[in-house]
Amino acid sequence: MIGKLKGLIDEYADGYVIVDVGGVGYEVYCSNQTLQSLPSVGEAATVLIETHVREDQIKLFGFASSLERDWFRLLTTVQGVGQKVALAILSTLKISELTSAIALQDKAMVARTPGVGPKVAQRIVSELKDKTPSLAATDKAVANLQAEIDAVGAPKAMAEAVSALTNLGYAQVQASAAVATVIKREGDGLGTAALIRHALKELSQ
């Protein structure tokens, strides 16, 4: 099995890149974010690989980071999420956004991905909610949201508050952590406006 390719970028195409390793061109399918992070044609690159073998083909999926590869593997464990859909999700959402969406149980954010309907989005946030922290060690604030979210019947106000704060320029992780802190202190009865107001105070400290 191929786990990594190190070679020259030979060609970019729609949804994949060809990596020339010792004169052999490997067709590697990637998310848009990975494709955008790779160097120009003719330059050296290292791509982490997930190899999928079927009776009729061998397909390579490439990633710029081990974290993105881990998310790809995790997403494909969900019923209805194949390799194509997993790449589409990783092309639409940043890792921090995907982590936050699952922690907040925000299926609407996941459903922004072309080809992902409400039912599949719901399965993704439901089935992966207990697996997110192990993949999001660098986003501990978001991962720790899970305990708070579990105590909240309706996360709509939380999701709206986080969205409003990110629109104001705060990072997704900062906004999510601030909202979680407010709910832990004030309880889950606050509306969107109150959540935003209290969260802004947290962020200004």
Side-chain angles (χ1 to χ4, degrees), residues 12-162:
Y12 282 103
D14 185 18
Y16 68 89
V17 63
I18 294 179
V19 182
D20 185 326
V21 181
V24 178
Y26 292 88
E27 191 174 280
V28 182
Y29 290 84
C30 307
S31 70
N32 290 340
Q33 296 189 52
T34 287
L35 289 174
Q36 291 169 7
S37 71
L38 294 175
S40 302
V41 171
E43 295 185 7
T46 299
V47 186
L48 300 177
I49 299 296
E50 179 76 2
T51 306
H52 282 253
V53 180
R54 289 176 21 184
E55 289 184 3
D56 57 342
Q57 67 175 344
I58 297 176
K59 203 165 187 178
L60 305 181
F61 297 91
F63 309 92
S65 69
S66 59
L67 183 59
E68 186 187 32
R69 183 173 61 182
D70 287 343
W71 269 108
F72 176 82
R73 290 171 174 171
L74 189 58
L75 285 167
T76 54
T77 66
V78 177
Q79 181 184 358
V81 180
Q83 294 91 8
K84 184 177 180 180
V85 171
L87 278 187
I89 292 171
L90 294 171
S91 293
T92 304
L93 302 175
K94 296 178 180 178
I95 297 298
S96 60
E97 292 174 328
L98 180 56
T99 303
S100 181
I102 293 172
L104 289 168
Q105 293 293 279
D106 185 359
K107 67 178 183 180
M109 180 177 286
V110 179
R112 286 165 41 192
T113 303
V116 175
K119 290 184 179 179
V120 173
Q122 182 61 59
R123 281 202 296 269
I124 290 171
V125 298
S126 297
E127 293 183 23
L128 300 186
K129 66 178 182 178
D130 295 326
K131 301 178 182 180
T132 302
S134 63
L135 289 177
T138 57
D139 289 343
K140 292 180 181 179
V142 174
N144 289 336
L145 276 173
Q146 190 58 55
E148 282 73 36
I149 301 301
D150 287 342
V152 180
K156 181 179 179 181
M158 297 181 68
E160 290 177 346
V162 171

